[in-house]
Structures are given as C-alpha cells and as structure tokens.
C-alpha cells in the first residue's frame, strides 16, 4: 500500500507559507457619478428648506457607513449638506445627502460632497422668494420716459412735521405745478455708528424710518399720488450701507476689505460714515435686488432714483435693471444718478445731468457763451436709445446745500427762471427740487433738519413755474421733437419740431438787455406766445430784457 503522507505534509507546509489577505471592513466605492445628481426639491431664498441630494456610485463593497459631517454652502450661503448613514450595495447603487437650512438669497448654492476619497462639486439652484404680497393695484399711468416732470421731495425740510403726512398734505399743490413724478429722498432708517444723520447712510433697506412715519403712511402717500395721476420713485443707495446695517454682522463677506481684512469706506470719496459693498459677491447682489422688489410690491412704488450710480459696476446695474423689468405688472422708471455712458446700455431710463449743471454755471456765472449747451446736447445723450433721457435741473439737495440757491447761482429770481427755461425745455426731462418754485431764499443744508420751506413766499414765481411746465406738457414737440440750435453768445435759442408742430424758444442768459439776430429761416415768421396766447411776428431781430425769455409755438 502506497503512502501519501509526505506529499500531504509538503502541501500543508506550502499552504502555511502563503500570506493571508485581511478582510475589508471599511465601506469603499470605486467612483461617484457626478452627472447623476438628483435633487428632491428647490430651496427658496429666505424660507427654511429640508431636502435631499441623491448621487449614484459604482464599485460598492456592501459595507455599512455612518452619517458624515456637516458641510456649508458657498455662493448662496445658509444651507448645509450632510451624508446620511446607510449600507452600500455590492456594485452600483446610490447614496443620499440631506440638505437643510435657510438660503440667504436666490442664486446658486455650491457644495463639495464626498464619499471616501471620491468627491463631486454640486450646484443647487435657489429660487427667488416671490412671495411679496402686492399692495394695492399697480399704477397704470406711469408716464413715458420723455414725458416726465420730476419733483424731488426732501421730507425733513418739506414741512414742519418733516414726515410723509407733510407731503401728503401738499400733493394737490405738487400736482398743480404740472408734475407727474415724485421722487422721495431716502425713506429708510439712518445709521448711528460713525454717522452724521445722513439719509444716505442706510441701516435697513426694507424698513421705513419712523422719523417719517410708518409703512401705512408711505402707502397713503403713494396712493394719494396715484389718485392724482402722479408716479412715485424711491431713492436707493446701492453702493454702501451704514456701519450698523445688519449685513455687517450677518454677511461680513458682502463688503470690501483692506489687506488687513477690515471693511472699508468707499475708496477715495471721504464718506467715512458708510461701508463699501463688494459687488463681486453674487449673494449680496441678489439680496439687493430682492430688497428693491420688496418696495415695488409692498408699497406699490413706480421706480427708483439710484444714488451714486457711478460707483457700482455695469454688470450689477444690468442685472438689477433686467430683474426689475421682469416685474411685468409694473411699468418702472429707473434713474441713474450718474453720468457714465454705460448706464444707457444697462437699461436705465434716465442718467443725471451733472455736466449740464456745469454748463449752466459756466454760462450764467462765468459768462461763457450759450452755444456751450450745444456740445452738451450731444455728449450727454451719447449712447442713448429708445427715448432714454437726461434729467436736467437748476438745483437739487446737493447743489442747494453746497453751492447755493438758484437765486445765488443764476442772478436772482429772474436769472433762475432763465436757467430753468434751459433746463426744462431744451432737451431731457426737468427736475424741480422742493422749495425752488417759491424762491426759498436760504439754503436747506445737510442733514436738512435746520430749516423748513415757507410755502407762502413768491406766489408769482410759482405761477411762472406752472406756466413754463404747462408749456412743456402741452407740447409734444418740446418733449420729443427734433432739436435745432440757433443760439448766440448771449441768447439761448432753439426750435423743436415734431410732424406739424414747431416751437421756438429764446432765453437771455445775461443780466442785461440782449439783441438777438434771427436766422433767415425764422425771420418773418408768425407765432403764438406760449405763455400769454398773443400773436407774435418775428422780424430780423428780437430784443430781450435781462434774463427774459420768449416761448413761441406755431
């Protein structure tokens, strides 16, 4: 009988010399399919969200795994993602992450989700919160761009009460001027930290300053304006906030910082009472736009005047204007208080006539020729399309406080009216600053708390403002006709013509009599005085007393 014991012993010896492979106890996958993401829902800005993200994997080893650690969102902040516990399939399967929190604004929330050493970048869209309830009925009679006559209200100086009720009590008077757009200086709570009580130092974009009243009072003002066929614009400070705005503590990353990491004031401006926002931050931009929309719905306002529009970049303004234009229930008027050429491309209805005001000063104060206005009529409108306009004025809250009243600037009450003819009839749309129509003889100085307007002054002056604005309102040619300049050194002269209507305007810009030589194409023509209704035959020359003007129509 053969024996096999030595062979078996040798085999056993060989087997005993092999290394054993340890059992795999950790959950392992070979890959994540980043294109297979499935979201259980879409979060909405400002509303608590609980949902899931599901992603497929391959190469699972059938092992169990524990819940992961919390990862916070980038971009739109406020959301957190966490891996749920579970058991891997052997081969392919899916893992689930929970998402919860409250998104800070609309846009994209970014996450990096991982399992072991495999990861995917995830973008979770966050919807805009459009749950603002519409107060009232959107105003149907917002004027076309070219037809606006804008009236600037400074609540603090407008009445003794210095509030919305003070404005409400004079809505009939404003309407009687021929105004169809009221623009209210900032209505929001004013910052206290490092502040000087400036209305342009905004502490909360979505609250009414109790100094002026309540949201109910603001709505009453807007309702009262609408019932009188006037639109209402709010002043908006997008470039910066007060140092005690809630964003300073809740969204510190929404502000520009220096190399030491400290928030800065607007560079080079000397505005130390405000903090500069960072317009590279997408979440901040979206929240700013959401706050703008809040007032359209909550107070039924008809647009905005955007303070210091030359500060924020073009890309923000394009985004903001486009977003506001998507509110198809409202026709909004949007005014850039800036002179950058790209404001037209951003879609604003209006830019601000800083350069035109400089032209008024050069002509009325420095004796430059009235023909200087011709260049401004081209340069200020460069890039304007579809009836976009320049807002022109002889004064506003800045000019009145720093440079002087219209009487100081242009040579008394008569000179101020000659300048107003240029601002209101030649090109663009006019803006009146509260109190100029009664010739307020003192400055309303910053922060506008030291003096109120005396509405009983100079009733004849106010009547003249009404006549000039009535001439504008009655003339489609003035508002939208072709402008032809015939100015001399001392007389501003131009025609505006639309179809069969033609107007001829002359204004003596000097504090002495001026004789104007009428161009041959206008000599020997007959007109109607747009103020008195009298017939006027125009000869070879016209003599105009100091600072006087002549408004003629065919």
């Amino acid at each position: 009988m053969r024996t096999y014991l030595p062979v078996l012993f040798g085999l056993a010896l060989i087997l005993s010399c092999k290394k054993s492979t340890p059992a795999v106890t950790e959950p392992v996958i070979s890959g994540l399919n980043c294109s297979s993401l499935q979201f259980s829902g879409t979060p909405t800005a400002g509303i608590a969200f609980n949902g899931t993200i599901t992603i497929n994997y391959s190469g699972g080893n059938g092992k169990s795994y524990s819940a992961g650690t919390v990862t916070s969102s980038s971009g739109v902040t406020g959301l957190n993602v966490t891996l749920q516990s579970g058991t891997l399939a052997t081969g392919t399967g899916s893992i689930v992450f929970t998402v919860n929190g409250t998104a800070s604004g609309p846009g994209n929330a970014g996450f990096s989700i991982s399992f072991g050493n495999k990861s995917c970048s995830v973008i979770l869209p966050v919807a805009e919160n459009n749950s603002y309830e519409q107060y009232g009925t959107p105003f149907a009679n917002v004027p076309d761009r070219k037809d606006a006559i804008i009236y600037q209200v400074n609540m603090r100086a407008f009445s003794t009460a210095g509030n919305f009720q003070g404005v409400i009590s004079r809505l009939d008077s404003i309407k009687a001027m021929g105004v169809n757009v009221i623009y209210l200086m900032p209505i929001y709570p004013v910052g206290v930290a490092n502040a000087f009580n400036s209305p342009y130092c905004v502490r909360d974009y979505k609250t009414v300053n109790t100094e002026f009243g309540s949201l109910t009072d603001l709505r009453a003002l807007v309702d009262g304006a609408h019932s009188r066929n006037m639109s209402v614009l709010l002043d908006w400070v997008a470039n910066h906030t007060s140092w005690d705005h809630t964003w300073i503590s809740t969204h510190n990353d929404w502000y520009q910082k220096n190399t030491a990491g400290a928030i800065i004031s607007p560079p080079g401006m000397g505005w130390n009472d405000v903090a500069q926002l960072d317009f590279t931050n997408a979440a901040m931009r979206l929240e700013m736009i959401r706050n703008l929309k809040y007032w359209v719905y909550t107070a039924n306002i008809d647009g905005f005047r955007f303070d210091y529009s030359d500060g924020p970049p073009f890309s923000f303004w394009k985004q903001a204007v486009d977003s506001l234009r998507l509110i198809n229930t409202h026709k909004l008027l949007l005014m850039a208080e800036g002179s950058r050429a790209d404001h037209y491309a951003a879609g604003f209805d209006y830019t601000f006539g800083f350069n035109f005001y400089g032209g008024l000063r050069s002509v009325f104060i420095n004796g430059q020729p009235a023909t200087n206005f011709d260049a401004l009529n081209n340069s200020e409108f460069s890039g304007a399309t579809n009836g976009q306009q320049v807002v022109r004025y002889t004064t506003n809250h800045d000019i009145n406080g720093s440079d002087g009243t219209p009487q100081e600037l242009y040579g008394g009450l008569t000179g101020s009216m000659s300048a107003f003819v240029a601002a209101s009839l030649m090109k663009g749309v006019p803006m009146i600053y509260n109190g100029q129509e009664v010739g307020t003889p003192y400055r309303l100085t910053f922060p506008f708390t030291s003096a109120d307007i005396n509405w009983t002054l100079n009733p004849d002056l106010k009547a003249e403002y009404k006549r000039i604005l009535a001439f504008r309102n009655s003339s489609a040619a003035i508002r939208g006709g072709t402008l032809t300049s015939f100015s001399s050194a001392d007389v501003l002269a131009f025609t505006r013509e639309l179809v069969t209507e033609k107007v001829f305007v002359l204004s003596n810009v000097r504090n002495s009599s001026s004789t104007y030589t009428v161009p041959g194409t206008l000599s020997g023509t007959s007109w109607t005085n747009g103020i008195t209704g009298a017939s006027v035959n125009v000869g070879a020359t016209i003599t105009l007393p100091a600072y006087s003007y002549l408004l003629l129509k065919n």
Side-chain angles (χ1 to χ4, degrees):
M1 180 177 181
R2 292 183 180 179
T3 178
Y4 295 94
L5 288 175
V7 177
L8 294 172
F9 176 77
L11 181 61
L13 182 62
I14 292 170
L15 291 172
S16 68
C17 291
K18 286 187 176 180
K19 292 183 178 179
S20 61
T21 301
V24 177
T25 60
E26 296 297 319
V28 175
I29 61 174
S30 62
L32 286 173
N33 183 358
C34 297
S35 63
S36 69
L37 293 168
Q38 297 179 47
F39 304 120
S40 66
T42 301
T44 298
I47 297 176
F49 177 76
N50 288 287
T52 59
I53 300 173
T54 302
I55 184 170
N56 295 337
Y57 62 83
S58 57
N61 67 350
K63 300 298 181 180
S64 298
Y65 54 92
S66 302
T69 56
V70 174
T71 301
S72 297
S73 60
S74 59
V76 173
T77 58
L79 296 175
N80 300 304
V81 64
T82 310
L83 174 67
Q84 290 183 357
S85 61
T87 301
L88 293 173
T90 301
T92 60
S94 60
I95 53 179
V96 178
F97 294 80
T98 59
V99 183
N100 54 56
T102 302
S104 61
N108 292 321
F111 302 96
S112 178
I113 62 175
S114 61
F115 191 97
N117 63 354
K118 311 299 181 184
S119 64
C120 291
S121 295
V122 177
I123 298 297
L124 177 60
V126 178
E128 183 170 358
N129 184 353
N130 290 318
S131 60
Y132 296 139
E133 182 179 353
Q134 175 67 62
Y135 168 77
T137 301
F139 185 46
N141 294 323
V142 175
D144 290 340
R145 292 167 167 170
K146 62 182 175 52
D147 295 334
I149 293 178
I150 303 168
Y151 189 90
Q152 180 186 8
V153 172
N154 183 343
M155 257 85 63
R156 286 177 169 174
F158 190 84
S159 67
T160 302
N163 59 17
F164 295 134
Q165 289 296 335
V167 180
I168 291 170
S169 68
R170 294 196 62 81
L171 286 175
D172 287 331
S173 179
I174 296 173
K175 175 63 179 177
M177 288 276 295
V179 168
N180 54 15
V181 178
I182 295 173
Y183 127 53
L184 304 176
M185 284 174 59
I187 64 165
Y188 323 100
V190 172
V192 176
N194 304 325
F196 312 109
N197 198 23
S198 168
Y200 292 88
C201 178
V202 176
R203 183 161 48 88
D204 185 342
Y205 285 118
K206 292 173 69 176
T207 303
V208 170
N209 188 346
T210 56
E211 173 187 351
F212 304 133
S214 64
L215 175 60
T216 299
D217 296 324
L218 174 62
R219 286 171 167 175
L221 192 162
V222 174
D223 289 344
H226 287 172
S227 70
R228 293 165 174 82
N229 219 28
M230 294 186 289
S231 303
V232 178
L233 312 185
L234 297 186
D235 215 337
W236 193 266
V237 188
N239 187 71
H240 43 262
T241 74
S242 72
W243 287 100
D244 46 4
H245 193 287
T246 54
W247 290 356
I248 292 281
S249 58
T250 60
H251 296 289
N252 188 269
D253 58 318
W254 288 5
Y255 291 84
Q256 280 191 27
K257 298 176 183 178
N258 60 21
T259 55
I263 296 173
I264 62 172
S265 293
M269 301 304 295
W271 300 338
N272 297 324
D273 59 329
V274 290
Q276 175 66 54
L277 288 164
D278 180 2
F279 285 88
T280 67
N281 190 296
M284 183 279 291
R285 290 161 66 136
L286 289 167
E287 183 62 15
M288 179 75 72
I289 294 167
R290 249 175 46 80
N291 290 353
L292 285 164
K293 291 181 177 181
Y294 168 83
W295 292 104
V296 176
Y297 291 109
T298 306
N300 202 22
I301 62 97
D302 308 300
F304 298 92
R305 177 261 196 194
F306 293 98
D307 184 66
Y308 185 47
S309 298
D310 288 348
F314 166 80
S315 61
F316 169 72
W317 289 129
K318 186 72 169 67
Q319 179 185 6
V321 171
D322 286 351
S323 296
L324 290 169
R325 298 292 188 209
L326 290 174
I327 305 176
N328 57 19
T329 53
H330 287 256
K331 177 182 177 181
L332 300 177
L333 296 177
L334 305 176
M335 182 200 312
E337 194 238 357
S339 56
R340 278 195 341 228
D342 63 15
H343 291 323
Y344 291 125
F348 286 107
D349 297 288
Y350 306 108
T351 61
F352 223 59
F354 291 114
N355 293 325
F356 182 79
Y357 168 67
L360 285 175
R361 288 179 60 91
S362 72
V363 170
F364 281 84
I365 297 175
N366 300 326
Q368 294 297 306
T371 51
N372 280 9
F373 292 119
D374 295 342
L376 290 170
N377 288 332
N378 292 321
S379 62
E380 283 199 319
F381 287 82
S382 177
T385 59
N386 299 318
Q388 290 171 309
Q389 298 288 324
V390 178
V391 174
R392 290 180 163 178
Y393 47 85
T394 58
T395 186
N396 59 38
H397 70 282
D398 286 322
I399 292 169
N400 179 278
S402 62
D403 297 355
T405 66
Q407 299 91 287
E408 292 178 83
L409 292 172
Y410 307 114
L413 293 177
T414 54
S416 72
M417 296 310 296
S418 174
F420 185 70
V421 165
S424 61
L425 301 181
M426 181 165 52
K427 202 171 182 181
V429 300
M431 183 177 75
I432 301 101
Y433 179 48
N434 57 200
Q436 79 175 82
E437 70 268 37
V438 293
T440 302
Y442 43 83
R443 302 183 186 188
L444 305 174
T445 54
F446 176 87
F448 316 115
T449 56
S450 59
D452 302 325
I453 299 166
N454 180 352
W455 294 108
T456 66
L457 297 174
N458 300 308
D460 291 343
L461 183 73
K462 184 176 181 178
E464 188 65 7
Y465 271 99
K466 289 181 181 180
R467 286 189 283 266
I468 292 171
L469 294 177
F471 180 71
R472 178 186 174 85
N473 279 331
S474 69
S475 172
I478 283 288
R479 301 193 307 275
T482 300
L483 172 69
T484 304
S485 175
F486 297 100
S487 295
S488 66
D490 297 328
V491 175
L492 174 70
F494 58 89
T495 60
R496 297 200 71 172
E497 190 169 2
L498 184 65
V499 193
T500 60
E501 183 190 357
K502 189 172 185 177
V503 297
F504 182 24
V505 175
L506 304 97
S507 183
N508 182 2
V509 299
R510 305 295 177 224
N511 191 19
S512 59
S513 178
S514 295
T515 297
Y516 173 74
T517 300
V518 178
T521 55
L522 296 172
S523 179
T525 54
S526 297
W527 304 81
T528 299
N529 188 307
I531 299 296
T532 66
S535 297
V536 177
N537 294 315
V538 172
T541 62
I542 297 175
T543 299
L544 295 169
Y547 291 137
S548 67
Y549 41 87
L550 193 57
L551 314 182
L552 304 176
K553 61 181 181 179
N554 64 357

